[in-house]
Amino acid sequence: MKLLLVEDEEKMARLLRRGLTEAGHQVDVCQRGEDALEQARRIDYDTVLLDWSLPDLDGLAVLRRWREQGLRTPVLMLTARGTVGEKVLGLRAGADDYLVKPFAFEELLARLEALYRRGDAQGLARQVGPLMLDSRRRVLRHGEREESLTGREFTLFSELASHVGEVLARSTLLSHVWGDNFDGPPNIVDVYVGYLRGKLKKLSVEGVSIQSVRGVGFRLVVEG
C-alpha cells in the first residue's frame, strides 16, 4: 500500500512511518498542509493518513480542498478532538474514517487496510503486460497460474511496475520499499529482486523481466 502521512509532530511522524514501513507499506511524509495538497495532486496514493492539527492549513481545510478538486483517495483522519460533533464535522468534510488520539497502532493499521480493501474492491488491479497484479490478494496472475507475494515483494514489484522501462537506483528502491531508516543488509534489494524473478519464472511468463543495470539498479521490462 502506498500511503501519504500528513503529520507535523516530528516524533509521531517518525514512529508512524517506521511502523507502517515495517508492516510492508510505502510511506511519504508531509508536515504542512500546503505541501500535502500538492503532493496528493502529483502522486496517486492508495490511502492518506491526515492529522487535523497542522501548522498552516488545518487538516479539515486540506481535506475539503482535496474533495473540491475531485480527489477520491480514502482518507483516515487523526485527531485529539473526540466529541461526536467534531467526528461528524470530519466525516462530512470527506474523511472516510476517523481515529482519536491516543490510539493503538494495531487499530490504525487495521483501519488503513480496511480502507485500502474498500478502494481495491472498486477495481484497482493493475495490468503489467501479460500479468495481472492483484493488490487486494497480493498475488501475480498469469492466465490460470498465480504466485503469492509478501508485503515487501508486492511493494517492490509495484514500484518497478510504476516505472516500466526506467532504471531505478538501488538507493531509491531501498528508501521507497524499506524506508530511510532501514539498517539491515545492504544487498536486500538484490535479494528481493531474486525472489521476484523466481516467481516470474514459476509463472512461465514471457516478455516481462527485471533487468539489472550494472552499478545502478534495476528496471522492469515489458515487451510488446
Side-chain angles (χ1 to χ4, degrees):
M1 180 175 10
K2 191 169 186 175
L3 291 157
L4 175 61
L5 169 60
V6 188
E7 169 63 62
D8 76 313
E9 186 180 338
E10 188 173 345
K11 183 178 180 181
M12 174 68 79
R14 186 169 61 251
L15 290 172
L16 288 175
R17 183 177 191 179
R18 181 183 302 167
L20 291 166
T21 300
E22 288 175 354
H25 304 301
Q26 180 181 338
V27 185
D28 292 335
V29 178
C30 288
Q31 294 182 300
R32 296 172 55 82
E34 289 289 354
D35 295 338
L37 285 170
E38 178 62 24
Q39 184 87 348
R41 280 195 293 263
R42 292 189 300 105
I43 299 176
D44 185 19
Y45 290 100
D46 297 311
T47 55
V48 175
L49 188 56
L50 175 65
D51 199 312
W52 188 313
S53 299
L54 297 172
D56 49 355
L57 297 174
D58 66 32
L60 205 62
V62 172
L63 179 56
R64 284 174 173 152
R65 283 173 61 175
W66 276 337
R67 296 315 189 209
E68 288 168 1
Q69 294 164 358
L71 187 76
R72 293 292 173 260
T73 305
V75 173
L76 171 58
M77 181 161 277
L78 295 179
T79 180
R81 305 165 188 254
T83 69
V84 172
E86 287 165 333
K87 291 180 182 179
V88 169
L89 191 61
L91 292 169
R92 285 181 173 170
D96 297 273
D97 201 356
Y98 193 103
L99 191 57
V100 178
K101 299 176 181 178
F103 52 81
F105 179 76
E106 292 77 9
E107 181 180 0
L108 170 69
L109 189 60
R111 286 175 179 268
L112 284 171
E113 290 174 346
L115 288 179
Y116 181 52
R117 288 194 301 272
R118 190 184 308 167
D120 188 61
Q122 298 172 3
L124 297 181
R126 177 187 299 185
Q127 189 81 35
V128 184
L131 294 172
M132 183 66 72
L133 179 62
D134 186 331
S135 54
R136 181 177 62 84
R137 297 177 54 230
R138 282 185 183 171
V139 299
L140 270 175
R141 287 200 305 271
H142 180 222
E144 297 299 317
R145 298 186 181 186
E146 66 179 35
E147 284 290 322
S148 297
L149 303 177
T150 66
R152 298 288 190 205
E153 290 170 348
F154 174 81
T155 305
L156 178 57
F157 191 84
S158 295
E159 186 69 17
L160 291 166
S162 296
H163 303 275
V164 171
E166 297 180 31
V167 179
L168 298 182
R170 284 179 175 83
S171 59
T172 298
L173 293 169
L174 187 65
S175 174
H176 287 184
V177 179
W178 282 269
D180 294 331
N181 297 318
F182 179 74
D183 59 359
N187 67 333
I188 191 69
V189 177
D190 299 68
V191 171
Y192 273 77
V193 165
Y195 295 158
L196 289 174
R197 284 171 170 163
K199 293 186 176 184
L200 291 175
K201 185 176 181 179
K202 288 180 180 179
L203 289 169
S204 300
V205 61
E206 296 181 1
V208 178
S209 62
I210 303 174
Q211 295 183 350
S212 301
V213 179
R214 187 179 179 85
V216 182
F218 301 95
R219 64 182 164 203
L220 183 67
V221 176
V222 179
E223 300 174 3

